[in-house]
Amino acid sequence: MRNIAYIFILLMVIGSFSCKEDERDPVFKETNQLSIYDYLVENKEIFSSFLSILEKSGIDKTLSAYNPDGNGYTLFAPDNAAVQRFIDESPQFSSLTDILNDQEFAMSFSCYHVVNMSIRTNDFPFGAFSEPTLSDDYLIVSFVIDQDSSYYRINNQASVTKRNIETSNGFVHHIETALQPVTLTAYQWLEQNPALSIFKSAVDLAGLKPLIDFNLKVAKDQLPVTLLIEPDSIYNKRNIRSAGELAALISPGNPNYTDSRNNFYNYVAYHFLSGNYYIDDFVNRNTNYNTMSEIPLNIDGWGVDIAINPGKQVFDTIVYMGDTTIVNFIKILYDQSNVVTQSGAIHLIDQVMKQQVPTRASTYFQFYEEPLLNGYNQEKGEFLIEKNTLNRIHWTGPDLFYVAGEVDENSASNYDYLMIDGDFTISYTIPKIVQGKYRVNLRAESFNATNSVLEVYIDNKKVGGMVDLSVGGTATSPFRNIALGTVEFSTYEEHDVEVRCLIPGRFLWDYIRFEPY
C-alpha cells in the first residue's frame, strides 16, 4: 500500500513542480541574459570554490558559450559548503588548493557536473538523463518524498536545493553535495553494502561475480546488466540468514552451485537482467526481460505500481476498511533503487524472487544486444558498420549503416535505425522469446519512392507477403508498423529473422515486435 501511495504522491509532486517552475527566489530572477558561467560569477560568494575549479579546468569557457549541439547545458552547482564537505570526506585531497593543483581531476570533476542538454526539473526522468555529462557519464534522478518535503536527488548523492535558474545557454540547479563520479562496478557496490551481504555471498557461491564486475567504459564489448536484489532484511523474514541457507533451500542435495544447470545458479542469475534499465524504463511497458538464467522475467509497468511477475505468487492479503487487496507481485523499493554503477543499474525489491514459469508478453527487439551499436547510440550520427563487427546481425550486399538521431528528427522508436540501400539480405538473431503464438510487426521507414520491396523470414519460413516500403508512411511519420502475420514458437530459444530484398532499394529498419496472439 505504501508504494501505491508513493506513486500517487510522486505524480502530485511532479505536477506541483511543473506548476511552480516560475516561482523562484527574487535573487535569481533576470538571469536569462547571463550565461551559466556569468551566473556563477554573479553569485561568487556562494560558488567561489566550484568556480575556481571550473576556471582551472577550462570548462568556464564552455559554460560561457552556446552548446554546439544546439541543446544547451545543465549545471548541477555545488556551493562552497558542498565543495568543502567533499574535501573533508576525500582521502585524496585536503584542501581546495590540492584540487586546483590536479588539472586532470579538476577537469573530470567539472565535467561530471554538466549534462550536455538543457533541462528543467519538470522534465527530469525517474532514472537516467537521455544525454551524458561532459565527462561522458550518465547521471540519474530520484524523487524523494519525506513527511515534510519532497525533492529531487541526483545520483542518490545530492539533493537539489534551488532549481530552474534559467540562463542564456541552459539551466543551473543548486545541489547540497558535490557529485562524486561513479567508479564502482555493480559487484564492488554490493561489497560496500553490508545490508546486502546474503545476495553478495550468493553471487560468489554461484560463481557469477564476473557477470557484474566490469566497467563499461573499459570493457567495450560488454553489455550492461541490471540487478534486482533482495536486502538481507527480506531474507531474514523468511528465516534465511546466509547464502548457504538460501542455497540449501533452493537446491537441496545438489551443492554444485556453479553449474549453469543448478537451481541455485539459475536463481541468482534470474536477478540479472540483460541491459541497463532505470525505473522510468519500466513504466508504461509490460514485457519480458531476458535474464542471465534459463528463463526471462516479466515486469508490468502499466499499473500504479511497477509489478514484477504479477499473478505468479500471493505474497500478502491486506484488509483495510472492509476492502481486501491481494498482493500478488514483487515490488521495487523505489527509495532504495536507481543506483548507478559502472556495470549497470541496481534496484532493491521487497520479496524473495524465485524463478517463475514465464508468461508471453509483447516483446520488441531493436538491436541493443550489440555493444558496438550501444556505443554509437550515445554519440549520435551516421556510422558505417564494418563486416564481422556485430554478433547477431549479418548481411550481404551493400554497406550497412547505423543511424542515431536526436529527439524529433524522425519517427523511429528511440530515433535510431539500421540503414542499407541496394540489393541486400540482412539477418538478425533475436534473443530468446517465450514459446507460443505471436503476431509479428516490422517497423521501418515507409515513405520514399526509392525504398525496397522485401519479404521477411523467421527461422527460414516466410511470414506474410511482400512488403512495399515506398508507401504507407507520412511526411511527419515516415516510420510505421507493418503487420506481417503470425508465428508459433514451440520452445524458449533464439530465432533468426531474415529480410530478403525483392526489389533493390533503401531499407531503414527500426525494430521487429512480437505480440501474443
Side-chain angles (χ1 to χ4, degrees):
M1 292 295 288
R2 179 180 182 277
N3 283 342
I4 294 175
Y6 183 100
I7 292 294
F8 280 124
I9 294 172
L10 177 59
L11 293 173
M12 293 173 63
V13 169
I14 295 171
S16 172
F17 282 2
S18 178
C19 293
K20 297 179 180 178
E21 290 295 354
D22 292 325
E23 297 178 12
R24 306 180 204 129
D25 298 300
V27 70
F28 300 116
K29 289 184 178 179
E30 304 299 335
T31 61
N32 59 342
Q33 299 305 312
L34 303 175
S35 68
I36 292 176
Y37 173 71
D38 292 334
Y39 170 78
L40 296 178
V41 172
E42 286 280 314
N43 295 276
K44 194 169 184 177
E45 70 281 1
I46 302 173
F47 297 109
S48 59
S49 295
F50 186 61
L51 189 59
S52 64
I53 298 172
L54 285 179
E55 292 171 342
K56 179 66 176 180
S57 67
I59 298 302
D60 58 318
K61 299 179 180 62
T62 300
L63 297 182
S64 299
Y66 291 103
N67 190 328
D69 294 332
N71 57 357
Y73 298 108
T74 297
L75 171 67
F76 291 100
D79 60 21
N80 291 339
V83 173
Q84 187 57 51
R85 278 195 298 274
F86 175 84
I87 294 170
D88 292 343
E89 296 170 2
S90 171
Q92 185 178 358
F93 304 107
S94 57
S95 68
L96 178 61
T97 302
D98 289 345
I99 294 178
L100 298 178
N101 287 335
D102 190 332
Q103 174 82 24
E104 184 177 349
F105 180 83
M107 173 66 79
S108 63
F109 183 83
S110 300
C111 290
Y112 195 72
H113 286 76
V114 183
V115 177
N116 196 31
M117 67 184 300
S118 178
I119 184 166
R120 300 168 71 101
T121 52
N122 64 321
D123 293 322
F124 277 9
F126 196 6
F129 287 108
S130 59
E131 292 291 333
T133 64
L134 297 184
S135 61
D136 202 28
D137 294 283
Y138 283 86
L139 302 182
I140 61 104
V141 181
S142 297
F143 300 104
V144 181
I145 300 175
D146 290 335
Q147 283 186 334
D148 300 323
S149 64
S150 305
Y151 52 91
Y152 298 97
R153 181 177 289 161
I154 308 301
N155 270 21
N156 291 312
Q157 298 174 9
S159 300
V160 176
T161 55
K162 292 187 184 294
R163 61 184 187 275
N164 300 330
I165 296 111
E166 187 172 2
T167 71
S168 61
N169 61 341
F171 286 96
V172 177
H173 306 287
H174 293 207
I175 53 176
E176 66 175 1
T177 304
L179 297 174
Q180 299 197 41
V182 174
T183 58
L184 299 178
T185 68
Y187 183 82
Q188 290 168 338
W189 187 86
L190 273 177
E191 283 186 308
Q192 294 195 6
N193 284 271
L196 306 174
S197 64
I198 294 177
F199 187 82
K200 182 266 177 187
S201 297
V203 171
D204 293 335
L205 205 56
L208 290 171
K209 174 184 175 182
L211 295 185
I212 59 171
D213 193 23
F214 61 89
N215 187 323
L216 286 166
K217 284 188 171 182
V218 177
K220 298 293 186 180
D221 59 340
Q222 285 272 19
L223 289 170
V225 178
T226 297
L227 297 186
L228 302 174
I229 301 174
E230 303 93 337
D232 289 356
S233 59
I234 300 299
Y235 287 117
N236 294 165
K237 288 179 181 178
R238 298 289 191 90
N239 295 317
I240 299 170
R241 304 291 172 180
S242 69
E245 291 181 9
L246 178 65
L249 181 66
I250 293 174
S251 183
N254 184 0
N256 190 11
Y257 301 135
T258 59
D259 186 343
S260 62
R261 297 165 295 182
N262 184 277
N263 288 341
F264 179 71
Y265 176 100
N266 278 284
Y267 165 83
V268 179
Y270 190 62
H271 291 67
F272 300 0
L273 308 187
S274 301
N276 199 17
Y277 302 104
Y278 293 96
I279 287 175
D280 59 343
D281 294 316
F282 298 131
V283 175
N284 294 338
R285 292 186 67 190
N286 178 7
T287 191
N288 290 329
Y289 294 83
N290 285 308
T291 70
M292 298 296 185
S293 78
E294 58 196 5
I295 59 175
L297 173 148
N298 180 251
I299 300 180
D300 184 353
W302 280 108
V304 294
D305 232 329
I306 295 170
I308 300 173
N309 284 338
K312 297 295 185 180
Q313 184 178 352
V314 175
F315 295 100
D316 199 0
T317 301
I318 301 170
V319 179
Y320 179 73
M321 297 183 66
D323 293 328
T324 301
T325 301
I326 296 175
V327 179
N328 62 353
F329 59 88
I330 297 171
K331 303 176 184 179
I332 292 175
L333 300 173
Y334 299 106
D335 292 347
Q336 303 171 59
S337 296
N338 268 350
V339 176
V340 59
T341 76
Q342 287 293 356
S343 312
I346 295 177
H347 309 289
L348 303 192
I349 55 178
D350 76 334
Q351 301 289 345
V352 176
M353 188 173 74
K354 297 180 180 180
Q355 286 181 292
Q356 301 290 347
V357 176
T359 302
R360 288 181 304 138
S362 293
T363 307
Y364 74 95
F365 301 102
Q366 201 170 359
F367 323 117
Y368 293 150
E369 304 81 21
E370 299 285 0
L372 179 66
L373 302 189
N374 283 332
Y376 288 158
N377 185 267
Q378 295 180 18
E379 297 179 34
K380 310 300 182 188
E382 183 176 302
F383 304 92
L384 173 65
I385 308 300
E386 300 291 340
K387 292 281 188 179
N388 302 318
T389 57
L390 301 180
N391 301 317
R392 292 178 172 269
I393 300 169
H394 304 279
W395 72 98
T396 60
D399 290 335
L400 179 68
F401 294 85
Y402 174 73
V403 181
E406 302 290 349
V407 174
D408 296 331
E409 284 190 342
N410 58 65
S411 61
S413 173
N414 296 324
Y415 313 104
D416 65 334
Y417 51 87
L418 294 178
M419 180 174 67
I420 194 167
D421 190 353
D423 188 3
F424 63 85
T425 297
I426 182 170
S427 65
Y428 175 25
T429 302
I430 63 172
K432 294 179 180 180
I433 185 170
V434 176
Q435 59 264 37
K437 195 171 184 178
Y438 295 87
R439 295 187 183 93
V440 185
N441 289 272
L442 179 79
R443 185 170 177 84
E445 204 261 18
S446 188
F447 186 69
N448 193 304
T450 65
N451 283 352
S452 171
V453 175
L454 49 81
E455 292 178 325
V456 178
Y457 291 76
I458 297 179
D459 296 334
N460 215 31
K461 296 179 181 178
K462 190 168 77 167
V463 181
M466 293 190 305
V467 178
D468 183 356
L469 295 178
S470 66
V471 295
T474 66
T476 56
S477 298
F479 284 81
R480 70 181 180 100
N481 288 315
I482 302 161
L484 297 178
T486 61
V487 294
E488 187 164 7
F489 300 132
S490 58
T491 57
Y492 174 62
E493 61 183 1
E494 297 178 344
H495 300 277
D496 291 318
V497 177
E498 186 175 74
V499 179
R500 302 177 186 175
C501 170
L502 295 177
I503 298 177
R506 296 192 327 153
F507 177 39
L508 278 56
W509 190 1
D510 190 359
Y511 62 68
I512 189 161
R513 186 175 72 217
F514 297 83
E515 298 176 347
Y517 180 73

